[in-house]
Amino acid sequence: GQQVMQIPQYQHVQEGEDFTTYCNSSTTLSNIQWYKQRPGGHPVFLIQLVKSGEVKKQKRLTFQFGEAKKNSSLHITATQTTDVGTYFCAGLVWRGDMRFGAGTRLTVKP
Amino acid sequence: DGGITQSPKYLFRKEGQNVTLSCEQNLNHDAMYWYRQDPGQGLRLIYYSQIVNDFQKGDIAEGYSVSREKKESFPLTVTSAQKNPTAFYLCAGGGVPQHFGDGTRLSIL
């Protein structure tokens, strides 16, 4: 069945270092969404990518959607302690069927 | 305030017991979702509903049931057939973005 794979599972960085998480789907996605979940909280929407090859930026965060619409990445430049949390990608397979990746848990050492 | 409201926050289930998790929304979303999250893992889709009186199975629907009798409500029943129900359950509404409730943590007594 449809799977959305996400790597790495964990990432520990020193504050100021960069961070990247990657998301891959076994099939073409209608769109890809990214969410952030703080410890003890619920996922919060960050961004949606729809177009092939799309790149979007939010301050220090850069999101990319692959040309084949099967992969995506989130890159954080110069991490801060406020970036701590688990980052999830989610792909819309079709008609409301939403599939989440396993998430990448980011920890940042001050 | 508008949002997705889940209750209770913590729930305990005895052997052989069915329990129902509540999810209510006042955001006027047509679509609603139930996810299960196990420690250190991602969200797995249990059921979703795109319209009243209609719902679809997700990846892990076995041992769960839902109803969607009205737009505002999408309760999830964890039946005794679900042998490993201990998890964090998240309800969400909307397509893009999805708005999540604060979750219900279910444990076995």
Side-chain angles (χ1 to χ4, degrees), chain A residues 2-11 19-26 29 32-37 43 46 63 70-76 85-91 99-106, chain B residues 37 40-44:
Chain A
Q2 167 70 24
Q3 286 194 5
V4 175
M5 309 299 292
Q6 193 172 352
I7 57 170
Q9 188 174 3
Y10 302 98
Q11 186 77 55
F19 159 77
T20 305
T21 174
Y22 300 90
C23 187
N24 288 284
S25 169
S26 56
L29 299 169
I32 193 106
Q33 302 169 44
W34 285 93
Y35 292 80
K36 177 182 179 181
Q37 184 177 25
L46 294 175
F63 304 84
K70 289 185 176 182
N71 61 295
S72 181
S73 65
L74 158 60
H75 179 82
I76 301 178
T86 301
Y87 293 85
F88 293 98
C89 61
R99 301 301 171 105
F100 278 76
T104 297
R105 182 180 295 180
L106 172 65
Chain B
Q37 186 173 31
Q41 297 190 30
L43 282 68
R44 291 186 290 168

Side-chain angles (χ1 to χ4, degrees), chain A residues 2 9-10 31 33 35 37 40-45 48 88 92 94-103 105, chain B residues 33 35 37 39-45 48 50 57-59 88 90 95-103 105:
Chain A
Q2 167 70 24
Q9 188 174 3
Y10 302 98
N31 65 48
Q33 302 169 44
Y35 292 80
Q37 184 177 25
H42 59 262
V44 175
F45 175 77
Q48 178 193 218
F88 293 98
L92 182 63
W94 81 297
R95 295 192 64 192
D97 191 341
M98 188 75 68
R99 301 301 171 105
F100 278 76
R105 182 180 295 180
Chain B
Y33 298 78
Y35 297 94
Q37 186 173 31
Q41 297 190 30
L43 282 68
R44 291 186 290 168
L45 182 63
Y48 66 99
Q50 291 191 282
K57 293 182 179 180
D59 276 341
F88 187 50
L90 284 161
V96 181
Q98 292 206 334
H99 296 101
F100 286 83
D102 289 334
R105 198 166 298 276

